[in-house]
């Protein structure tokens, strides 16, 4: 079973961009890796700029996203995954205007051209574009602010997400 997550980074204009990660999204997994290996906002931006959904997050200093089918030497001597692995060849990116839009899963999906993705349907006799919204099956949402500090929102028992709190508060317990 996978613990899915979304990893957002604040942009200079105050908006947020994101990538999806399919596995180990819990705080002791992806959260700890972000805290320990992704403090540098430039490194996080390089990861997001790939616009690829991840199956797992790796710890290499150079951001590399590779296809798992290449059968790479996956683990380093400490047992950590070295590379980020892509889920598939599809290119997508999530964008949000603020933390509340992220927390309530109202962020938007963009395609490889930066255009809003969605579908068309007829509503009240009119052809209407309906944008794809964020995935509510993410139990954890991570945000890196411009300062480099990481924040996390976790799913409550009622299915809603908590307010964002500094990630280090969870890891120092």
């Amino acid at each position: 079973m996978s613990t899915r997550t979304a990893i957002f980074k604040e942009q200079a204009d105050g908006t947020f961009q994101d990538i999806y990660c399919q596995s180990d999204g819990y705080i002791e997994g992806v959260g700890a890796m972000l805290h320990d290996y992704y403090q540098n906002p430039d490194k996080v931006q390089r990861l997001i700029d790939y616009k690829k959904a991840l199956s797992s997050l790796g710890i290499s200093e150079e951001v590399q996203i590779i296809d798992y089918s290449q059968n790479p030497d996956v683990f380093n001597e400490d047992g950590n995954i070295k590379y980020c692995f892509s889920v598939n060849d599809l290119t997508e990116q999530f964008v949000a205007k603020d933390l509340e839009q992220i927390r309530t899963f109202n962020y938007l999906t963009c395609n490889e051209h930066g255009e809003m993705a969605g579908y068309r349907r007829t509503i009240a006799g009119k052809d209407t574009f309906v944008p794809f919204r964020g995935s509510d099956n993410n139990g954890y949402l991570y945000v890196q602010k411009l300062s480099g500090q990481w924040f996390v929102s976790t799913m409550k028992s009622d299915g809603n997400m908590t307010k964002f709190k500094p990630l280090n508060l969870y890891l120092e317990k």
Side-chain angles (χ1 to χ4, degrees), residues 6-35:
I7 303 167
F8 284 87
K9 182 183 177 300
E10 185 178 20
Q11 304 299 298
D13 66 1
T15 63
F16 297 85
Q17 292 179 350
D18 154 275
I19 55 164
Y20 165 84
C21 186
Q22 180 177 348
S23 299
D24 301 329
Y26 48 90
I27 291 171
E28 298 81 8
V30 166
M33 291 182 81
L34 292 171
H35 181 269

Side-chain angles (χ1 to χ4, degrees), residues 13 81 84 107 136 141 156 167:
D13 66 1
I81 298 173
C84 299
Y107 49 90
D136 62 359
L141 298 169
K156 300 186 286 188
L167 177 59

Side-chain angles (χ1 to χ4, degrees), residues 17 33 40 43 47 118 162 167:
Q17 292 179 350
M33 291 182 81
N40 182 335
K43 182 178 181 182
L47 184 65
T162 63
L167 177 59

